Amino acid sequence: MKTIFITGASSGLGKATAMLFLTQGWRVIATMRDPGAAKEFQRSERLIILPLDVTDAEQIKLTVEQLTAEFDVDVVFNNAGYGISGPLEAVTEFQLQRQIETNLLGPIRVTQAFIPYFRKKGSGLFITTTSVGGLVGFPFSSLYHATKWGLEGWSESMSFELRKLGISIKTVAPGAIQTDFINRSYDWALHPAYQHWMDRFTANVSGTVFAPPEKIAQVVFEAATDGKNQLRYLAGDDTKMLYNKRLELGNDGFNKFMEAAFLSDK
Ligand SMILES: NC(=O)c1ccc[n+]([C@@H]2O[C@H](COP(=O)([O-])OP(=O)(O)OC[C@H]3O[C@@H](n4cnc5c(N)ncnc54)[C@H](OP(=O)(O)O)[C@@H]3O)[C@@H](O)[C@H]2O)c1
C-alpha cells in the first residue's frame, strides 16, 4: 500500500487531497495543527491523523522520526500555508516572520526531516503546493511571493541533489482555489498611502474564477503517480494563462500587462 504524508490537511486543498488519495486506496497520514478539525472526515483504517504545526521545528523532527519508524512513506505533500496582502511598508515584524516561517521554512524543514529516511530507502517524492504567485508577480503580495517563488527556486535546486539519491521533488502551482483561504487563512497589512491602489487591486482581482479543490487535488495525484521527471505542475486555467502570458510577453512586457490588468482606474 502506498502512503502519502500531508501538511495542512484540516481543510481546503489538503483535505481534498487526503480524501482523493484515500479513495484511490492509499494510506493517508493527514497532519494538522488541530486534529479536532478532522472529526467530520470519512472514517478509514488507512487514515491516520497527527498533530503538526509546520512552524514548530522540534515537533516536525519528532513526528517524522516516530512515524517513519512505524510506517513506510512514499510521498510527502507540503501543503500548509496562508496568504498575506498589503504594501511592505505596512507589514509588521510578526507578520513577516510568521509568513516566512509557515510558507517557506515549514516545507523546507519538513523536507529536511524526511530526507535521511528517503535516502536510506533509495526512493521518495516531495510535492509542494506553491501558487501561480510562485511563477508571476501580483501587486501588493510581495511577502507571499517571496515564499512561493522561494519554494519554486528551492525545489528546482533541490532536484539536483535529491535525484542523485533516487528521490524526486515536484511543485504544484494552483491559481485561485475555491477554498475558504481568503476568510480563514489570510492576513492583511494596510497603509493609507497605498489604499487607493489596494482598492483598485482588490476590485480588479474580484472577477477571478476559482477552481474546486478536488480539481487541484487531481493534479497532486497526477504528480504523485505519473512517474515523470517533471518539476512543475501548473494547476488551473488561470495559472496556465498567466504563466504562458509571461513567457509570451517577457518579463517587462508582462509587468506592464499586470499593471494594466490590476492597477488601472478602469
Ligand atoms: N486558495 C487559493 O486560492 C490558493 C491559491 C494558490 C495556492 N494556494 C495554496 O494552497 C495551500 C492550501 O490552501 P487552501 O486554499 O486549501 O486554504 P485553507 O483551506 O485555508 O488551507 C490552509 C491550510 O494550511 C494550514 N496551516 C496554516 N498554517 C499552518 C501551520 N503553521 N502549521 C500547519 N498547518 C498550517 C491550515 O491549518 P489550520 O486549519 O490549522 O488553519 C489549513 O489546513 C496553501 O499553501 C496556499 O498558499 C491557495
Side-chain angles (χ1 to χ4, degrees), residues 37-211:
K39 57 181 181 293
E40 282 161 20
F41 279 30
Q42 74 185 57
R43 302 259 166 259
S44 167
E45 58 188 22
R46 288 182 285 104
L47 175 65
I48 294 143
I49 312 278
L50 293 178
L52 185 66
D53 181 331
V54 300
T55 62
D56 185 337
E58 261 322 289
Q59 191 186 26
I60 291 172
K61 263 195 218 153
L62 272 178
T63 303
V64 174
E65 265 169 32
Q66 285 169 2
L67 76 90
T68 52
E70 195 177 344
F71 303 106
D72 200 18
V73 178
D74 302 282
V75 178
V76 170
F77 180 37
N78 281 311
N79 168 71
Y82 74 95
I84 179 165
S85 284
L88 184 64
E89 190 178 342
V91 169
T92 65
E93 180 60 24
F94 174 77
Q95 286 177 313
L96 197 158
Q97 288 193 12
R98 185 166 162 259
Q99 174 77 163
I100 304 282
E101 282 279 342
T102 308
N103 287 18
L104 185 61
L105 298 187
I108 292 175
R109 287 184 175 131
V110 169
T111 301
Q112 193 181 36
F114 269 102
I115 289 175
Y117 166 75
F118 279 165
R119 177 170 50 73
K120 283 177 202 137
K121 206 175 126 157
S123 68
L125 168 63
F126 295 104
I127 303 175
T128 301
T129 305
T130 58
S131 168
V132 63
L135 303 168
V136 306
F138 287 84
F140 296 123
S141 313
S142 64
L143 208 47
Y144 186 68
H145 287 302
T147 65
K148 296 297 190 177
W149 278 68
L151 288 173
E152 285 289 347
W154 167 76
S155 302
E156 191 167 317
S157 178
M158 285 300 296
S159 70
F160 298 106
E161 68 196 60
L162 292 179
R163 202 174 296 126
K164 301 295 176 218
L165 306 173
I167 305 167
S168 305
I169 189 163
K170 301 183 173 192
T171 64
V172 169
I177 321 174
Q178 212 174 344
T179 61
D180 209 16
F181 187 65
I182 295 290
N183 296 317
R184 73 189 299 291
S185 303
Y186 220 87
D187 198 1
W188 296 91
L190 301 176
H191 190 296
Y194 304 83
Q195 200 51 46
H196 173 75
W197 300 110
M198 270 292 277
D199 291 344
R200 286 286 87 223
F201 174 59
T202 43
N204 285 325
V205 95
S206 66
T208 306
V209 177
F210 291 79

Side-chain angles (χ1 to χ4, degrees), residues 241-250:
M241 186 282 280
L242 279 172
Y243 189 59
N244 288 333
K245 199 81 173 161
R246 181 183 193 107
L247 298 180
E248 177 196 323
L249 298 177

